[in-house]
Amino acid sequence: MKRQPAPDRVVRRLSLYLRQLEHLAERGIDKVSSSQLAGSLQVSAAQVRKDLAHFGQFGRPGVGYRVRPLIDELRRILGTDKTWNVIVVGAGNLGSALLQYKGFLKRGFRFVAAFDVARGKIGRHIGNVRVRHMGELARIVRRHRVKLAILAVPADAAQRVAERLCKAGIKGILNFAPATLAAPPDVAVGPIDLAASLEQMSFAVASGTSTR
Amino acid sequence: MKRQPAPDRVVRRLSLYLRQLEHLAERGIDKVSSSQLAGSLQVSAAQVRKDLAHFGQFGRPGVGYRVRPLIDELRRILGTDKTWNVIVVGAGNLGSALLQYKGFLKRGFRFVAAFDVARGKIGRHIGNVRVRHMGELARIVRRHRVKLAILAVPADAAQRVAERLCKAGIKGILNFAPATLAAPPDVAVGPIDLAASLEQMSFAVASGTSTR
DNA sequence: CTCTGTGAACGACTTCACAGCA
DNA sequence: TGCTGTGAAGTCGTTCACAGAG
């Protein structure tokens, strides 16, 4: 029985398992073995069991895992059993698209506001929220108890804006700007580098390192 | 002296180094040590040296690395010394935003077309390209020798579309759909799961596992 | 003296393989 | 018999530390 800090890798796969379990639940399936769960996800059955074992004992030998209860457990572990209020900073193309992306709401994230500095954008509505001036940041964050932010500003503004977010009380930043952010140790930063991701593909194709 | 297959992790960091080196070059700096390069990027100096050593010997003891030549080497390694033609499949909010994202062009990727199935979207222009019907896929891919695709369709269409892409000759797919794709071994798939990324943040905040 | 390239030590993650429960 | 949970073994990636080049 262990309860160590839980590697990033493991948490990422938990999201994967959760998604798959939700598919199974939709199809009315109510129990699943580690190997069935692993099957379509390109991980091993042992991996699934080990990952889940980081957090407790959820299965029954000879049977497998019950889908519904496991979904609930995973949501609890990931923190998405409650809905999180999220803001988007930077209402350009990418920020706007993210504000309208339906996938977040289904997984327990709700946008409460967007922020920008451009005159022309402020006051407009994107998705279900209003674009506000950065000056309102602290107030909105406080009022809605926002802990998570999506950062979609130009690279040269990213660090500066990140610092304002931290000061306002944000505890997790999903960073789409092509910049490496420095943040206090109690703030999590998740980098999403689009150009780098395409470069991975480019490398794989150019060097013939695909799955072989 | 090694020349092993080069782990994913290493390639991802190469992109990071490249970005940083380009910043340095812009500022007119022409040499850099592994520890300077590592500094702002939150990796160790030894890591930088080991990563580069996977591909050759680029530095000079006592001096460091020359910025310009190293940029050229990294581009060559990543395959971005030449421009890649890229298509986007799925011209919804996300697909549209990606088509207009300037960051790709700067890094050697050029969009040549977008594809969708919705009547209303076909024929429109987004960014610099025209939205075409999926029926034109094979022809455009062939004509422009497209090897890389960005997939931004709904989850339930993702696998089906991915198969068409593979059949058309695409060799790398950057997948924004929340689905795990199966592809032949000579096709690279890079998953970008937005909801899962936010779940990472949620987990980190909920469990107090930020950097501590 | 400075800084790279690299074997060797270390640590983290994954797979193996099996005891034990249903 | 079927399948989980888990130590043990194995693999992979990172850090250490230093010989040697400039």
Side-chain angles (χ1 to χ4, degrees), chain A residues 19-41:
Chain A
R19 191 173 70 194
Q20 185 67 12
L21 286 164
E22 285 171 345
H23 286 315
L24 296 177
E26 274 171 31
R27 289 199 271 138
I29 294 164
D30 70 341
K31 56 194 195 337
V32 64
S33 69
S34 59
S35 43
Q36 291 172 320
L37 191 50
S40 44
L41 298 175

Side-chain angles (χ1 to χ4, degrees), chain A residues 9 12 15 19 42 77-78 84 93 97 100 107 178-181 185 193 199-200 202-203 205 210-211, chain B residues 9 12 15 19 42 77-78 84 93 97 100 107 171 178-181 185-186 193 199-200 202-203 210-211:
Chain A
R9 299 302 218 48
R12 173 138 308 156
S15 290
R19 191 173 70 194
Q42 304 169 10
I77 293 164
L78 290 171
W84 293 78
N93 287 317
Q100 294 170 80
R107 299 298 281 265
T180 303
L181 297 184
D193 189 327
E199 280 167 353
Q200 305 303 298
S202 154
F203 173 81
V205 176
S210 290
T211 308
Chain B
R9 299 302 217 50
R12 171 139 307 155
S15 291
R19 191 172 70 195
Q42 304 170 12
I77 293 165
L78 291 172
W84 294 78
N93 287 318
Q100 294 169 80
R107 297 300 279 267
K171 294 299 177 197
T180 303
L181 297 184
D186 65 325
D193 189 327
E199 280 168 352
Q200 305 301 299
S202 155
F203 173 82
S210 291
T211 308

Side-chain angles (χ1 to χ4, degrees), chain A residues 103-151:
Chain A
F104 291 127
L105 193 54
K106 291 184 199 151
R107 299 298 281 265
F109 302 99
R110 170 175 52 198
F111 293 119
V112 296
F115 295 89
D116 207 302
V117 288
R119 277 296 142 137
K121 289 174 189 162
I122 291 165
R124 276 181 48 203
H125 280 255
I126 301 176
N128 296 312
V129 307
R130 183 147 156 246
V131 181
R132 296 166 181 276
H133 190 272
M134 282 295 287
E136 295 189 78
L137 182 72
R139 192 172 60 77
I140 298 285
V141 165
R142 221 176 309 119
R143 182 194 306 164
H144 295 282
R145 290 173 180 71
V146 183
K147 293 277 171 285
L148 301 179
I150 289 177
L151 189 57

